[in-house]
Amino acid sequence: MVLIASGSEVSLAMEAAAVLSKEHNVRVVSMPSWELFEKQPEAYRKEVLPPECRARLAIEAGCSFGWRKYIGDCGRTGCLDHFGASAPYKVLAEKFGFTVQNVVSAAKEMAAAAAKGAPSGPPMPTPGAPKADLPKPPMPSDPPSPAVDVPEMK
């Protein structure tokens, strides 16, 4: 399996890899820049992220947008797709699931699914993430809400 991380999450990936390496072959890839990685020769990119390794977990305390290209259809993300929390980083890391235990658990689930050739399932759980039962934002095809109607410009 491959754990891909950027910034401060690289140390988390290294700690998780130390635990996972007792049962799995694990590689940690520090990817500080997608743009620089894409400029590398294809042979190098395939060496770093071997196509035959489908168990890939991207870990970033940022948006998951864009990681699909690097994790593939059997990979998972451990990212934050929301913002606005303020607290000491250790408190936030624990609240949002950026812990060794959570990474190890998500990686094991992902590896088991990838071994079967199945998509790995949902992103790594982030306990402090907004609840899924929040109202969905309106879609362009939805009728406008009277509370947000704007008069036509004349």
Side-chain angles (χ1 to χ4, degrees), residues 1-2 18 61 64 82 91 132:
M1 80 178 59
V2 179
S64 61
H82 56 91
V91 172

Side-chain angles (χ1 to χ4, degrees), residues 80-87 92 95-96 130:
L80 289 177
D81 288 320
H82 56 91
F83 62 93
S86 179
L92 292 175
K95 178 175 176 60
F96 294 128

Side-chain angles (χ1 to χ4, degrees), residues 20 23 25 32-33 35 43 46 49 66 79 85 92 106-107 124 132 139:
L20 289 162
E23 300 174 28
N25 184 9
S33 170
E35 292 81 11
K46 285 183 176 181
L49 297 175
C79 300
L92 292 175
M124 185 175 88
M139 299 303 291

Side-chain angles (χ1 to χ4, degrees), residues 74-145:
C74 288
R76 288 178 86 170
T77 58
C79 300
L80 289 177
D81 288 320
H82 56 91
F83 62 93
S86 179
Y89 82 93
K90 288 184 180 180
V91 172
L92 292 175
E94 181 74 29
K95 178 175 176 60
F96 294 128
F98 287 88
T99 64
V100 172
Q101 180 182 2
N102 202 32
V103 171
V104 168
S105 176
K108 285 181 176 181
E109 290 173 12
M110 173 196 62
K116 297 175 186 172
S120 64
M124 185 175 88
T126 52
K131 302 293 182 224
D133 59 353
L134 291 175
K136 295 187 310 183
M139 299 303 291
S141 61
D142 292 343
S145 165

Side-chain angles (χ1 to χ4, degrees), residues 18-53:
V19 175
L20 289 162
S21 67
K22 295 172 185 169
E23 300 174 28
H24 300 275
N25 184 9
V26 183
R27 171 182 289 189
V28 174
V29 173
S30 173
M31 191 175 294
S33 170
W34 295 337
E35 292 81 11
L36 291 177
F37 184 73
E38 290 301 321
K39 289 181 181 179
Q40 303 307 309
E42 183 179 2
Y44 172 80
R45 292 188 314 242
K46 285 183 176 181
E47 183 180 338
V48 172
L49 297 175
E52 62 275 6
C53 179

